[in-house]
Amino acid sequence: MKELINVINSFQKLDHETEDAIKEYFVEEKFKKNELIVEEGKVCDKIYFIKSGTIRRFSIVESVEVTKWIYTDNQFVTSMSSFFEQKPSFEIFQTSDETTVYSLSFDDEQILLRYPLFSSFHLKLLRLYLSKINEFHHQFRLMTAQHKYLYLLESFPQIIKKAKLKDIASLIGVSQETLSRIRASIT
């Protein structure tokens, strides 16, 4: 739980009451490799904070899995539109290895949002994530495959270290063979 509290404190310094509430409502869960934590067509009812492990977000397009993002240690994960609007998810989240998370249910999030310091953290985190998503989609869309790989290597090295090559290739939109050539050309 220390990792979660440290990340929240980096956004918003907590008091003891709020910290105790967070410890009460976030629940540790363990998932095996390749376990689905969010399924397409089902409502996502939790936010996850990754203590250790890797989670891949993807969708299936014309029978092909298309990786949208790869989450690693100390990151929050949820199907945003499904969780926040309580509607069926259009994407799938699957563990890539054994993964330990702290989860927060939708109902418990509503309780924690009554704590002003948690609410302040929540707003700051959402603003940061929305800003990063906007920036990422603008930049990433315009990059060549090699520049995408270099961007991940520089900005998200944990993805390069922990994710499967096939998932990185899918994320940047190339075959595994092309990714191998890109990697060979920059080392």
Side-chain angles (χ1 to χ4, degrees):
M1 190 68 64
K2 180 181 72 169
E3 304 87 353
L4 172 62
I5 298 297
N6 286 343
V7 167
I8 293 173
N9 273 318
S10 74
F11 284 89
Q12 175 63 58
K13 188 72 177 142
L14 300 173
D15 59 17
H16 291 294
E17 180 186 7
T18 307
E19 190 172 316
D20 289 344
I22 288 167
K23 289 176 181 176
E24 178 181 346
Y25 290 108
F26 273 88
V27 177
E28 185 174 300
E29 292 186 61
K30 294 179 185 283
F31 295 98
K32 296 177 181 166
K33 181 179 180 178
N34 296 327
E35 203 168 333
L36 296 180
I37 64 168
V38 177
E39 296 182 54
E40 182 179 15
K42 294 187 177 177
V43 174
C44 174
D45 63 348
K46 294 180 182 177
I47 290 178
Y48 302 94
F49 175 83
I50 303 175
K51 178 181 178 184
S52 63
T54 311
I55 297 172
R56 178 173 69 109
R57 176 173 56 103
F58 67 98
S59 57
I60 299 175
V61 179
E62 297 177 6
S63 302
V64 176
E65 291 183 3
V66 178
T67 301
K68 303 293 185 179
W69 194 247
I70 300 163
Y71 301 87
T72 58
D73 300 356
N74 297 326
Q75 290 187 311
F76 287 92
V77 179
T78 195
S79 176
M80 283 200 261
S81 60
S82 180
F83 182 81
F84 292 125
E85 297 181 47
Q86 289 293 278
K87 66 182 187 181
S89 177
F90 57 84
E91 45 196 4
I92 303 161
F93 291 73
Q94 181 181 40
T95 60
S96 297
D97 50 21
E98 288 188 8
T99 300
T100 302
V101 300
Y102 297 114
S103 66
L104 179 66
S105 73
F106 181 82
D107 291 337
D108 288 343
E109 182 208 33
Q110 302 310 302
I111 294 168
L112 282 179
L113 286 172
R114 295 181 197 143
Y115 290 80
L117 295 176
F118 184 82
S119 187
S120 177
F121 151 73
H122 198 270
L123 181 60
K124 289 175 183 178
L125 180 70
L126 283 175
R127 290 174 65 107
L128 175 69
Y129 273 37
L130 290 172
S131 172
K132 293 294 183 189
I133 288 168
N134 186 49
E135 179 182 312
F136 171 78
H137 283 294
H138 173 72
Q139 290 180 347
F140 211 65
R141 188 175 50 87
L142 302 173
M143 293 178 186
T144 65
Q146 182 168 350
H147 283 106
K148 288 177 182 179
Y149 183 80
L150 290 169
Y151 173 79
L152 291 174
L153 190 61
E154 182 180 313
S155 301
F156 302 95
Q158 68 278 17
I159 290 175
I160 302 299
K161 290 177 189 168
K162 294 184 80 173
K164 298 174 190 171
L165 288 181
K166 74 176 186 72
D167 296 335
I168 296 170
S170 176
L171 179 61
I172 65 175
V174 298
S175 68
Q176 282 186 251
E177 295 78 18
T178 300
L179 178 58
S180 293
R181 284 194 294 276
I182 290 169
R183 290 167 50 115
S185 74
I186 62 173
T187 55

